[in-house]
Amino acid sequence: MLVRGGGGWTLRLAGEPAAPVDLGDHDPDARAALAAADGVECVLIAPSTPLGIEALPAGEAEPLLAAYHDGVAALPEPFRAWASVSVAEPDPTALAGLLDQGFAGACVAAGALGDPAGYDRLGPVLETLERADAPLLVHPGPVPAPPPSAPGWWSALSDYVSTMHAAWYAFGLWGRPAHPRLRVCFAMLAGLAPLHRERLLARGGEVARDPGVFLDVSSYGERAIDAVLREIGVDQLVYGSDRPVVAPLDLPLGDAVLAALRERNPTRLLGAKTTMEIAA
């Protein structure tokens, strides 16, 4: 929740330390100027799935999701957005309407797609994305509060990572067979799940190259991105950031790699010939 007091606002979120909110960080003109300075032609705004709004009972979630959709739809260029979907009562018809309005695809919390039951529940939503040739963004969702003595980074390095790992493997096991045409992007390099290939093989798993799966590089830097590049290649990585929570890092990866992350691969993921920032 957002709490006002002491001359400002504070965000209180389970799993995260209380953090001051500078409303200037969310000013559309200021954000557009930052995008221009970064050479980004289109910024796709993602809902903050760790808030857990999508998991609320439908009657509570609907007005909040509607406010999100109305707000981001009214933003000027260079902004577009990912649609949000109720997990309690998924509505594929509502999603189809949002896609018709110009939303790039749908963003779903990783925990909602971590097992077969999640794919059964959200199957009609994913089928809607397939029919519309629109992608899915998988992003960390709500997590339990950390132990009282845990440092502020605890959830970001434990629950967020583990739920992204589970979603990565769940998509290969249950998501891809059910949705063969769906393009999907995993935020934060899927918590570095691709780097566990050797452990997966040692435990009897299989590794298959899936050109319809992408990973955004938000919250990681040169070393982690280079490691994932060596494991899966450059064609499945796209540029993203956690701005304004965490400023994007400089990525001295070379012009060819940056062109792939910022231009060629987003075109394949989204079908748009622009330089894009996938998650913001």
Side-chain angles (χ1 to χ4, degrees):
M1 60 181 175
L2 282 170
V3 179
R4 183 167 58 184
W9 292 86
T10 300
L11 176 64
R12 295 180 180 174
L13 174 64
E16 297 273 6
V21 175
D22 184 346
L23 297 183
D25 289 339
H26 303 271
D27 178 78
D29 292 335
R31 289 289 299 276
L34 285 172
D38 289 343
V40 175
E41 298 173 7
C42 180
V43 179
L44 298 185
I45 301 295
S48 184
T49 46
L51 293 173
I53 292 170
E54 298 85 356
L56 292 171
E60 298 177 35
E62 286 174 1
L64 299 174
L65 296 181
Y68 162 73
H69 291 130
D70 291 345
V72 293
L75 289 173
E77 293 185 354
F79 301 107
R80 291 180 63 201
W82 297 91
S84 189
V85 177
S86 169
V87 174
E89 294 187 25
D91 187 344
T93 301
L95 174 59
L98 291 168
L99 297 176
D100 288 341
Q101 293 175 33
F103 283 78
C107 178
V108 174
L113 292 173
D115 55 29
Y119 280 98
D120 288 342
R121 184 184 311 109
L122 290 169
V125 164
L126 303 183
E127 290 168 3
T128 298
L129 292 174
E130 282 185 290
R131 286 194 298 270
D133 196 30
L136 168 72
L137 175 65
V138 180
H139 190 283
V143 298
S149 59
W153 48 257
W154 180 263
S155 295
L157 273 296
S158 57
D159 295 291
Y160 288 172
V161 172
S162 63
T163 57
M164 290 300 293
H165 279 196
W168 170 264
Y169 294 116
F171 181 77
L173 287 171
W174 303 295
R176 177 53 80 208
H179 305 282
R181 300 183 307 279
L182 181 64
R183 298 189 305 282
V184 56
C185 180
F186 289 85
M188 51 176 281
L189 290 174
L192 301 182
L195 299 186
H196 293 275
R197 175 179 180 274
E198 293 168 325
R199 184 171 176 83
L200 174 64
L201 294 173
R203 295 303 180 99
E206 297 180 355
V207 176
R209 181 61 59 88
D210 188 336
V213 170
F214 298 80
L215 301 95
D216 101 307
V217 302
S218 57
S219 78
Y220 285 99
E222 178 185 6
R223 295 178 64 179
I225 296 170
D226 183 67
V228 175
L229 280 171
R230 294 174 184 273
E231 184 61 48
I232 68 171
V234 71
D235 292 336
Q236 291 175 260
L237 300 188
V238 293
Y239 181 70
S241 82
D242 287 323
R243 180 178 275 161
V245 178
V246 179
L249 300 173
D250 290 332
L251 300 177
L253 300 169
D255 292 343
V257 171
L258 291 178
L261 268 61
R262 292 159 61 96
E263 298 175 21
R264 187 173 72 246
N265 298 344
T267 297
R268 292 172 43 238
L269 173 63
L270 301 163
K273 295 181 180 180
T274 52
T275 305
M276 291 199 176
E277 181 174 336
I278 298 302

